[in-house]
Amino acid sequence: MKNLREITLAELVTQQSGAAVIFEKYQLDFCCNGKRTLEDACKSQGLNVDEVTEKLEVIFRKNTKFIGEDFQNMSLDKLADYIMFKHHSYVREMVPVMLAHTQKVADKHGEKYPNLVKIAELWHELAGELTHHMFKEENILFPYVKRLVAAYRTANEVLMPRQPFISSPIEVMELEHDRAGELMKEIRELSNNYTPPLDACTSYQLSFNELREFEMDLHRHIHLENNLLFPKAIKLETELLHGVFN
Ligand SMILES: [Fe+2]
Ligand SMILES: [Fe+2]
């Protein structure tokens, strides 16, 4: 196997999903900025690459997966369903709860801690954008991916793609992922890495914990789309268009 430091962050998480835990700890973005090698990513963030590599080696030796799923070998229709049931439903569940909590702490403590007002605004924006984004995935992109899988499995002419379609919606989805990642990063910075002040009330602490967990989930969610589902779907469409399976 190649030295871990020469492998991209996205590929490391794809090979061994437990690597996500290490990257989260060091705030190494493996989803939207996942195409950098471990070495380059560590250098650009001023991290000790030996230290991070050592931690990763432990994960690779133990074969740790973050939820025990083999995403690499999962069929694309199953992967799309997994993303919807695991990640989209989580976003839908948390959006109203976190809108209420971020707004509540901004109203109560915004005068003393003005960053809370900005965090509530950014969260509101992120929640709206993600809701719209998931709607497009669930109603346009994912059904199309499932249709490609069905075409591949059944070789049914009716289901076969006639012309390239998938690259441009995927490009839009990736741009929206970048935007979501940026908003989340801004929230993280404004919240001092989700660290509440010592006098923070329970709602304040709860709100920051929810934001921290949400960011972790978002990174895993975007990783599965950007680094697995999307490139594999583009490849499948290309192969079907070239009649590879005929
Ligand atoms: Fe998604
Ligand atoms: Fe997405």
Side-chain angles (χ1 to χ4, degrees), residues 88-146:
H88 289 195
S89 49
Y90 169 77
V91 174
R92 275 202 188 91
E93 186 191 326
M94 292 314 287
V95 154
V97 174
M98 291 169 67
L99 276 175
H101 290 167
T102 50
Q103 197 53 54
K104 185 177 162 191
V105 293
D107 292 344
K108 264 175 106 178
H109 307 289
E111 218 163 291
K112 188 170 175 193
Y113 299 108
N115 280 1
L116 292 174
V117 178
K118 186 72 190 150
I119 289 171
E121 278 170 20
L122 291 169
W123 173 256
H124 196 273
E125 187 181 341
L126 178 61
E129 287 187 10
L130 277 178
T131 304
H132 191 51
H133 173 84
M134 293 191 314
F135 180 87
K136 288 187 277 189
E137 286 180 341
E138 290 180 9
N139 290 283
I140 301 165
L141 190 57
F142 290 5
Y144 183 77
V145 171
K146 288 184 176 184

Side-chain angles (χ1 to χ4, degrees), residues 83-84 87-88 91 130 133-134 137-138 142 173 177 221-222 225 229-230:
I83 290 168
M84 286 197 285
H87 295 292
H88 289 195
V91 174
L130 277 178
H133 173 84
M134 293 191 314
E137 286 180 341
E138 290 180 9
F142 290 5
M173 293 301 105
H177 289 165
H221 174 181
I222 293 177
E225 292 174 357
L229 185 70
F230 295 171

Side-chain angles (χ1 to χ4, degrees), residues 10-73:
E11 185 59 23
L12 287 164
V13 178
T14 301
Q15 283 179 21
Q16 188 53 257
S17 53
V21 178
I22 305 293
F23 293 155
E24 280 154 3
K25 189 169 163 240
Y26 288 97
Q27 291 178 16
L28 285 162
D29 176 4
F30 57 87
C31 51
C32 297
N33 284 307
K35 295 193 170 76
R36 302 168 296 166
T37 63
L38 178 64
E39 179 144 35
D40 290 344
C42 285
K43 271 189 189 155
S44 75
Q45 279 175 237
L47 295 167
N48 180 334
V49 66
D50 293 328
E51 183 188 314
V52 182
T53 309
E54 238 169 70
K55 296 240 162 74
L56 278 175
E57 279 165 356
V58 175
I59 298 282
F60 271 76
R61 268 201 303 275
K62 280 194 195 153
N63 204 18
T64 315
K65 292 191 164 72
F66 58 70
I67 28 165
E69 297 283 357
D70 183 6
F71 297 114
Q72 187 73 298
N73 293 309

